[in-house]
Amino acid sequence: MKLMCGNANKPLAKTIADYLDSPLSNVEIETFADGELFCRIDENMRGEDVFLIQPTSKPANTHLMELLICIDALSRASARRITAVIPYFGYARQDRKTGGRTPITAKLVANLIARAGADRVLTLDLHAGQIQGFFDIPTDNLFTTPVFEQDIRKHYQTDNLLIVSPDVGGVVRARALAQRLGAEIAIVDKRRPRAGVSEVMNIIGEVEDRRCIIFDDIIDSGGTLCNAAAALKDQGAAEVSAYITHGVLSGKAVERIESSVLKELVVTDSIDVRERSAAAPNIRVLGVAPLLGEAIRRIANEESVSKLFD
């Protein structure tokens, strides 16, 4: 087994390598004057089972091209199997046609990864589970639910706890966490008049005097989360925290979180947010390297990945 990574999230890749007690392979990624990328792998990859760790986070296009170029380099170096480990799968929100003459970019990216030469994909909390069907190669979608459950039990009392889905589409995700914690759920009914803007219409469920935890897969600009937290407080919630897998945190998201009613926002290190999270005292980063590392170990040993969530 060989591990290698691009530039998107080297700290996570190093932590995974430490967990597996396997060093990262040497790879050089250069950028030419006109913005073109070049990859050179400095180790023999012939016949190896290679795991390439590269989320497609900001800048999404650059990191996606790094992923594709590295996969092509590994394929031409005669690697036996190439697994693209994509902790954060960018373009996942473009998983359907939202109007006439619009693309389904998540499917396009899935095609690019497969055509580049990847044999398998390992990812974390896809925005929509059906995106697995966009790939024509085996795809493992890991869930952060066990990691979040353990952290919630460590930092919160589970009595009087309420798990909140920020929209109807996240109900299944919220219910899975609530069942593990023996908690009830509530739903934020919202509408989105345009991309990046949401308005809370109603809260479905009894939230008065409850300790609410909003559970979602992506926080981008932070507007939806902050509006939902404010609506919960207006309905009488005792406190509001949030557990979000992927901390995109674009624009003024950090400032919004810092000035919001949120007691705490917990995100994973699927995206490298160390600098941005350090600017807000109520943002905490939770590591997912053990989860990803154990999945990589199981794939390399041809063991079941789904048993991680039994």
Side-chain angles (χ1 to χ4, degrees):
M1 180 179 68
K2 294 265 190 176
L3 299 176
M4 61 177 285
C5 71
N7 292 321
N9 197 342
K10 287 186 175 181
L12 174 61
K14 290 177 180 177
T15 310
I16 292 172
D18 290 341
Y19 176 87
L20 293 169
D21 194 23
S22 178
L24 289 171
S25 298
N26 294 324
V27 57
E28 299 177 26
I29 298 176
E30 301 176 7
T31 304
F32 296 140
D34 63 351
E36 286 186 11
L37 296 171
F38 173 75
C39 169
R40 179 189 295 109
I41 302 170
D42 294 332
E43 296 182 22
N44 180 24
M45 292 293 171
R46 186 176 298 275
E48 296 285 357
D49 188 6
V50 185
F51 293 84
L52 171 59
I53 304 165
Q54 175 81 343
T56 53
S57 49
K58 183 180 179 180
N61 295 336
T62 298
H63 289 153
L64 175 59
M65 282 304 300
E66 280 187 15
L67 174 65
L68 298 175
I69 291 170
C70 287
I71 291 173
D72 185 72
L74 287 168
S75 179
R76 295 177 188 278
S78 301
R80 177 172 58 85
R81 181 173 66 176
I82 304 166
T83 301
V85 182
I86 312 173
Y88 170 66
F89 181 72
Y91 288 103
R93 286 171 284 182
Q94 298 185 47
D95 61 337
R96 64 194 183 280
K97 285 179 68 71
T98 56
R101 299 168 298 283
T102 58
I104 304 179
T105 316
K107 170 59 175 171
L108 171 63
V109 173
N111 288 345
L112 290 170
I113 291 170
R115 290 299 297 269
D119 299 294
R120 191 180 194 98
V121 168
L122 175 63
T123 187
L124 184 66
D125 269 351
L126 281 172
H127 182 63
Q130 63 266 24
I131 293 175
Q132 294 173 86
F134 291 176
F135 289 92
D136 295 325
I137 54 178
T139 303
D140 292 302
N141 180 32
L142 304 181
F143 304 105
T144 54
T145 310
V147 179
F148 283 165
E149 177 200 1
Q150 184 178 10
D151 191 77
I152 290 170
R153 290 187 183 279
K154 180 179 179 181
H155 291 91
Y156 294 86
Q157 295 181 353
T158 55
D159 60 303
N160 206 32
L161 199 64
L162 188 70
I163 305 301
V164 180
S165 172
D167 52 39
V168 175
V171 170
V172 174
R173 184 184 298 111
R175 184 178 291 117
L177 179 61
Q179 287 177 343
R180 283 178 169 266
L181 294 166
E184 297 177 351
I185 70 169
I187 306 167
V188 177
D189 175 28
K190 70 177 183 183
R191 69 182 181 95
R192 192 177 292 277
R194 61 183 185 275
V197 177
S198 67
E199 296 177 3
V200 174
M201 306 297 291
N202 195 17
I203 304 294
I204 303 171
E206 296 295 328
V207 303
E208 188 171 359
D209 297 325
R210 306 293 292 273
R211 289 194 295 272
C212 298
I213 293 180
I214 301 173
F215 182 37
D216 205 2
D217 63 319
I218 298 174
I219 174 172
D220 193 345
S221 65
T224 296
L225 179 62
C226 292
N227 289 342
L232 290 167
K233 289 291 286 186
D234 290 343
Q235 292 291 323
E239 63 181 43
V240 183
S241 300
Y243 278 72
I244 314 289
T245 303
H246 308 296
V248 177
L249 299 176
S250 60
K252 296 184 178 180
V254 173
E255 290 87 340
R256 290 191 184 98
I257 298 301
E258 187 176 13
S259 60
S260 71
V261 299
L262 282 168
K263 174 185 176 182
E264 182 181 46
L265 166 65
V266 180
V267 297
T268 74
D269 57 352
S270 64
I271 298 172
D272 188 4
V273 294
R274 290 172 301 166
E275 293 183 4
R276 282 168 286 170
S277 62
N282 59 341
I283 298 179
R284 181 162 58 89
V285 180
L286 190 62
V288 289
L291 175 62
L292 288 165
E294 181 60 23
I296 289 171
R297 187 192 67 79
R298 287 171 176 262
I299 292 171
N301 293 336
E302 303 294 345
E303 298 175 7
S304 172
V305 174
S306 61
K307 286 189 177 296
L308 284 170
F309 308 102
D310 288 346

